[in-house]
Structures are given as structure tokens and as C-alpha cells.
């Protein structure tokens, strides 16, 4: 809808990148606030957030390349194109690599794993909500054709050039569906973390709630990679992270609430 925030000649500031940055700052602010309340050391938590953000960007791009491997194999030069640089990538790929980095960092710095992950979860959901607004502005991650009153129609040629979003066709606002889901998840997690809870429960609920929401929203998204056994690759990953979230919640049931 509005992929370029500011344009000066050939230079422009992308709306997507700006909103992702704002989402990160909001998520970091929420995380630090919750870390102080949980009496966790602020400097290591802040450093962890930065390392995870960098790992998330790399992981999201790597999974995007893997998902579209045939396209990049046929045209290796597209790896270094601006559209690839601006593309959001695959969120689950970013999350998984960030999780690996987080585990290594928490062990090296002796941070309590479950408590640290818990204070990150609400900010993660809030940051995602802002980031998906960036997706909507850029036109990426668009939905399938829609005949509902709330359908959106992209008409911006720059958005089409950057993301290949179809123009003039009513589509499901899949990006906004996720904005709403992420905002609701943030509200639920922020409410839960301020009440007595078992360590690990907040990140467990994040995995369960986000994975469920993403699984459903994927039915309304266009999939360039096609379907695999009736589901998108993202849906298969969501089933795995959903199982992990449920398993974590079950495993932490016997832990005393803090």
C-alpha cells in the first residue's frame, strides 16, 4: 500500500524496514521492563535481544532461500537483489535460529533459561504485530483472493515491483489478520506474566498460541512454494512449534508458581 516512507531522488526509506525497527524497539522496551520486574540482569538481557534479532534476520532469509531454492538456483544473481534484501523472509526460520543463539548465550552467561524466555515472549508478540504492519505497507505476504467486505486491493506499482503483489484484485488482508492475532497474544501474555505463573509457561503459551494462529492464517495466504501434503511449509513448521509449546506447558505443570 505504501512501501516507501520517504523518497529523495533514487534514495528511499522503506516503510517495512522502519516498522520492523520500531517493532524491535517496542519489543525490547517491553522485555527490559519485564526483566527488571523479574530481577534479571539488564545488560545481558539487552545483549541477548540484539543477538537474537540479528540471528532472526539471518534465519528468516536462509529459510526463505531454502523455500524458494529452485528460483534462486535458476537465477543466483537474485540472491543479491534489493527485493531479496527487503523481503521479510520466513519468520519461523528466524525464530528457530534465534532460539539456538539464545540457548547458547544463556548458558554462557548463566541466565535462567525459562525465566529469561518468559520475559521475552510478550515483547516478541508486540514486535511481530508492528512488523506485520510493515508487511502490509510493503505488499508482501499477501492473501488469496477474497470476496468479503474487508478485502483489500493493492494498486501501488512500487509495491508490485518490490514484492510482486497482484494489483487490482481483492485479497484477504492476511497481514492484518496476523497483526490482530499478535496483538491479542501480546495482551494475553502480558496479563499472564504479571500474575503468579510457572517458569516457562509464558514462552510455552506463546509457542502454542502463535503457532495455532499462524497455522489458521496460512489458509488465507498465497503460497508461492505451493503445498506439501495439503499444507504449506510454514504450516508444517507451525505444527512442530505448537507441539513444542504444548510439551513445554505439560512439562512445567509440576513446577511451583512464582
Amino acid at each position: 500500500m505504501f512501501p516507501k516512507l520517504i523518497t529523495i531522488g533514487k534514495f528511499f526509506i522503506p516503510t517495512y524496514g522502519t516498522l520492523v525497527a520500531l517493532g524491535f524497539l517496542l519489543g525490547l522496551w517491553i522485555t527490559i521492563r519485564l526483566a527488571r520486574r523479574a530481577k534479571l540482569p539488564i545488560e545481558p538481557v539487552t545483549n541477548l535481544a540484539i543477538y537474537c534479532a540479528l540471528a532472526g534476520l539471518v534465519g528468516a532469509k536462509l529459510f526463505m532461500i531454502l523455500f524458494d531454492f529452485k528460483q534462486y538456483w535458476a537465477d543466483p544473481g537474485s540472491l543479491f537483489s534489493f527485493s531479496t534484501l527487503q523481503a521479510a523472509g520466513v519468520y519461523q526460520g528466524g525464530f528457530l535460529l534465534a532460539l539456538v543463539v539464545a540457548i547458547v548465550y544463556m548458558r554462557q552467561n548463566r541466565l535462567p533459561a525459562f525465566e529469561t524466555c518468559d520475559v521475552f515472549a510478550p515483547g516478541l508478540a508486540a514486535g511481530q504485530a508492528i512488523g506485520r504492519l510493515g508487511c502490509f505497507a510493503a505488499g508482501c505476504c499477501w492473501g488469496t483472493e477474497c470476496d468479503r467486505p474487508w478485502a483489500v486491493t493493492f494498486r501501488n506499482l512500487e509495491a508490485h515491483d518490490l514484492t510482486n503483489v497482484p494489483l487490482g484484485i481483492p485479497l484477504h488482508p492476511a497481514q492484518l489478520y496476523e497483526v490482530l492475532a499478535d496483538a491479542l497474544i501480546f495482551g494475553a501474555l502480558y496479563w499472564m506474566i504479571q500474575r503468579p505463573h510457572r517458569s516457562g509457561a509464558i514462552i510455552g503459551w506463546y509457542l502454542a498460541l502463535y503457532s495455532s494462529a499462524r497455522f489458521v492464517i496460512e489458509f488465507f495466504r498465497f503460497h508461492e512454494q505451493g503445498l506439501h501434503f495439503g499444507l504449506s511449509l510454514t504450516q508444517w513448521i507451525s505444527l512442530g512449534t505448537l507441539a513444542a509449546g504444548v510439551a513445554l506447558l505439560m512439562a512445567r505443570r509440576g513446577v511451583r508458581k512464582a
Side-chain angles (χ1 to χ4, degrees):
M1 289 292 189
F2 189 63
K4 297 180 180 179
L5 188 63
I6 298 174
T7 303
I8 303 174
K10 293 184 178 181
F11 171 80
F12 69 92
I13 297 176
T15 308
Y16 169 76
T18 302
L19 287 172
V20 167
L22 289 175
F24 170 74
L25 292 175
L26 174 62
L28 179 60
W29 179 78
I30 293 170
T31 298
I32 291 175
R33 181 176 179 177
L34 293 175
R36 284 199 179 99
R37 186 175 298 172
K39 298 181 180 179
L40 294 173
I42 301 304
E43 184 176 349
V45 168
T46 303
N47 291 338
L48 175 58
I50 295 171
Y51 294 146
C52 285
L54 295 174
L57 291 173
V58 173
K61 288 291 193 297
L62 286 176
F63 269 62
M64 179 187 72
I65 293 169
L66 288 174
F67 281 14
D68 294 323
F69 182 76
K70 291 182 179 179
Q71 172 189 329
Y72 289 107
W73 180 262
D75 182 17
S78 63
L79 281 169
F80 309 100
S81 66
F82 183 77
S83 60
T84 297
L85 178 65
Q86 189 190 13
V90 178
Y91 169 75
Q92 284 94 336
F95 178 80
L96 292 174
L97 184 57
L99 181 60
V100 172
V101 170
I103 292 171
V104 173
Y105 183 88
M106 287 187 293
R107 291 189 65 179
Q108 289 181 341
N109 290 270
R110 298 181 180 179
L111 288 171
F114 291 119
E115 290 86 347
T116 303
C117 289
D118 282 345
V119 300
F120 269 83
L124 186 57
Q128 281 179 270
I130 304 299
R132 282 302 177 188
L133 286 175
C135 288
F136 184 69
C140 62
C141 308
W142 66 88
T144 55
E145 290 191 36
C146 177
D147 59 0
R148 302 296 182 181
W150 56 82
V152 296
T153 303
F154 288 86
R155 303 187 186 280
N156 190 301
L157 290 174
E158 292 178 332
H160 174 72
D161 291 340
L162 288 170
T163 67
N164 292 320
V165 60
L167 303 180
I169 301 174
L171 305 172
H172 277 285
Q175 309 96 324
L176 299 185
Y177 294 164
E178 188 165 338
V179 170
L180 178 60
D182 289 335
L184 292 174
I185 292 169
F186 162 71
L189 297 180
Y190 197 79
W191 180 83
M192 285 190 285
I193 201 169
Q194 295 183 86
R195 283 152 181 77
H197 61 276
R198 298 175 177 89
S199 60
I202 308 302
I203 188 63
W205 275 114
Y206 168 79
L207 289 170
L209 292 173
Y210 177 75
S211 300
S212 300
R214 185 62 184 269
F215 182 86
V216 173
I217 292 169
E218 284 292 302
F219 286 113
F220 301 97
R221 279 185 59 177
F222 174 76
H223 302 291
E224 295 176 280
Q225 304 88 7
L227 301 178
H228 304 266
F229 301 102
L231 299 175
S232 70
L233 291 172
T234 300
Q235 284 177 309
W236 286 112
I237 296 174
S238 294
L239 288 176
T241 51
L242 172 60
V246 172
L248 180 57
L249 289 171
M250 296 294 291
R252 305 301 289 174
R253 287 179 64 184
V255 178
R256 185 172 61 87
K257 290 184 177 182

